[in-house]
Amino acid sequence: METPENYRAGFVTLAGRTNVGKSTLLNRLVGRKVAAVTPRPQTTRRRIVGIRTDERAQMILIDTPGLHQPRAAMNRRMVDTARRCLAEGEVIAAVLAANAPLGDEDRALLETVAALARPAVVAVNKIDLATRERLMPLIKSAHELIPKAEIVPVSALTGENLDELVRVISALLPESPPLMPGDEYTDQTERMLAEEIIREKIFLAMREEIPFSTAVQVEDFKEETERNLAKIRALIIVERESHKGMVIGAGGRQLKSIGTAARLELEEMLGRRIFLELHVKVEKGWTGDPRRLKELGL
Ligand SMILES: Nc1nc2c(ncn2[C@@H]2O[C@H](COP(=O)(O)OP(=O)(O)OP(=O)(O)O)[C@@H](O)[C@H]2O)c(=O)[nH]1
Ligand SMILES: [Mg+2]
C-alpha cells in the first residue's frame, strides 16, 4: 500500500482509573480482542499494545493497568507500569467513566496529563449509562483540570461516538508513515493472549478476592500444524488452599466451565482448534514475591 500524504502515526497511551473501560476501548479501536475485559477492577495487569491502522492514521495504542491505591507488591507494579506507559505516549488519552462522579484518581490523572507537554484527549466513556445531567458537570470539571484537551464522550460498549474519538486522536498524532505493518494488531504473543483469556474467564466466574490473587501462566504451547491444533497447558496460581478448592469446584465443574469458556474464545481468536489443559496450584504469597511476579511478566 502506498502511504497517502499527511498520514499520521504514533503511540497513544490509554490511561485511567481502574474499571473505566480502557481495555474495552482498546479492543473496540483495534477491532479485535486483545485485552481481557471484566466488570471487576484491576483486570489489566500489564502493558498491552493494540494497533489500529486505517486509511488516515495508525495508532499504536497502549492499554495500561488501572490506577488505584496499591497494597500488594503486584499492585504497586501495576500502577508503576501505568505511570511508565504515560511517558511512552505521544498522545495521551485519559479515560473517565460517565456513570460516576470524578474521583481522586481521575483528578490526579488529569492534573498529571495536563502538566505533560504532550497532546491529550479526554474520553468520557460509558455515556450509555449516564444522563445528560450527570455528564455535563463531569465534562465541565474535566475541562477545568485539563483545558488543553478536547473532551469526547463515548461508549466503548455500544460504539457511540468512537468515530469522533478516532478523528480527534488521529489529528493529534505526528505526521509519519505507518510504524508497523498493516496486518499487525498486537504485541501480545499467543501465549500471552491465552493467559489473558484464561484469567478473564476466572475473573468472570469467581467471586470475592479470588480474582485479585490469581494468575495464569502458560507452561507449554505445542503446535500440531497438520491437525490445525494447538495444545496449551496452563497453570492457575492461587494464594490459598481454600481458593484452589473453589476454582476447581465440586466435581471439578468450576474449572471445567472456566476451561470451556477460555477454549471456545481462544479457538475463535487464534483460528484453530485448541486443547486446553488447566492445573491449579497454591503458591502462598506470590503477589508479594518480586521474583515470581517477574516470571509472570508483572
Ligand atoms: N455500559 C458500559 N459498560 C462499559 C463500557 N465500557 C466498558 N464497560 C464495562 O466496564 C467494565 C470494565 O471494563 P474494562 O474495559 O475491563 O475496564 P478497564 O478500564 O480496562 O479496567 P482495568 O483493566 O481493571 O483498569 C466491563 O464490565 C465493561 O463491559 C461502556 O461504554 N458502557
Ligand atoms: Mg483493563
Side-chain angles (χ1 to χ4, degrees):
M1 177 185 95
E2 211 175 303
T3 308
E5 245 178 275
N6 307 326
Y7 199 85
R8 291 172 185 272
F11 287 81
V12 181
T13 300
L14 301 173
R17 181 167 57 73
T18 184
N19 214 34
V20 293
K22 299 175 294 297
S23 300
T24 310
L25 197 55
L26 176 83
N27 293 338
R28 265 280 182 170
L29 291 173
V30 172
R32 309 183 54 147
K33 177 120 165 214
V34 183
V37 167
T38 82
R40 288 165 183 284
Q42 298 158 37
T43 299
T44 305
R45 289 183 181 165
R46 49 195 184 198
R47 171 186 179 278
I48 295 179
V49 168
I51 303 162
R52 178 200 163 87
T53 306
D54 65 29
E55 61 289 353
R56 279 172 302 162
Q58 181 177 69
M59 296 173 193
I60 303 179
L61 295 146
I62 305 173
D63 185 18
T64 61
L67 300 167
H68 64 282
Q69 291 299 326
R71 266 178 266 151
M74 173 174 75
N75 299 70
R76 279 199 297 280
R77 279 170 186 251
M78 286 160 59
V79 174
D80 287 348
T81 300
R83 296 204 191 292
R84 272 201 309 280
C85 292
L86 272 183
E88 266 188 277
E90 295 170 276
V91 173
I92 311 294
V95 185
L96 305 176
N99 62 332
L102 213 59
D104 291 343
E105 248 109 37
D106 300 313
R107 275 175 208 285
L109 172 70
L110 294 182
E111 282 166 2
T112 304
V113 178
L116 294 173
R118 238 138 345 122
V121 57
V122 178
V124 182
N125 190 33
K126 307 199 186 185
I127 52 169
D128 56 296
L129 295 180
T131 57
R132 208 183 145 73
E133 289 68 48
R134 195 150 200 185
L135 192 57
M136 281 322 186
L138 191 68
I139 290 179
K140 187 163 172 283
S141 320
H143 178 71
E144 282 163 10
L145 288 164
I146 181 163
K148 69 174 177 185
E150 204 163 321
I151 296 173
V152 188
V154 296
S155 170
L157 195 70
T158 67
E160 192 179 348
N161 216 28
L162 287 182
D163 295 355
E164 174 65 7
L165 183 64
V166 166
R167 196 189 61 71
V168 171
I169 295 176
S170 301
L172 295 174
L173 287 170
E175 276 193 24
S176 157
L179 303 169
M180 306 292 279
D183 56 350
E184 295 254 334
Y185 70 95
T186 186
D187 70 336
Q188 303 285 291
T189 60
E190 290 190 332
R191 269 178 182 253
M192 291 158 110
L193 289 171
E195 289 172 351
E196 281 291 292
I197 295 306
I198 297 165
R199 203 167 52 81
E200 180 188 82
K201 302 313 171 201
I202 298 168
F203 269 51
L204 292 174
M206 306 306 299
R207 304 276 147 240
E208 281 137 44
E209 84 271 35
I210 292 177
F212 305 112
S213 55
T214 300
V216 175
Q217 184 177 33
V218 167
E219 294 186 300
D220 195 38
F221 197 122
K222 260 203 211 79
E223 295 291 346
E224 290 198 15
T225 325
E226 67 288 356
R227 294 169 71 194
N228 193 31
L229 173 80
K231 286 186 172 169
I232 304 173
R233 191 180 71 233
L235 194 61
I236 298 174
I237 300 153
V238 295
E239 273 204 308
R240 293 196 205 140
E241 213 48 66
S242 61
H243 290 179
K244 177 173 174 176
M246 285 188 266
V247 170
I248 293 173
R253 277 193 290 278
Q254 182 66 270
L255 187 62
K256 186 152 198 264
S257 108
I258 289 168
T260 304
R263 177 177 59 75
L264 291 174
E265 184 153 347
L266 284 167
E267 288 187 336
E268 173 105 21
M269 284 171 81
L270 306 181
R272 52 200 190 277
R273 278 197 306 143
I274 304 287
F275 276 10
L276 184 59
E277 191 186 317
L278 297 175
H279 299 275
V280 186
K281 186 178 163 208
V282 181
E283 288 187 23
K284 290 198 175 67
W286 74 265
T287 55
D289 175 359
R291 190 187 52 82
R292 195 65 180 116
L293 289 169
K294 197 158 180 212
E295 282 168 3
L296 292 167
L298 296 170

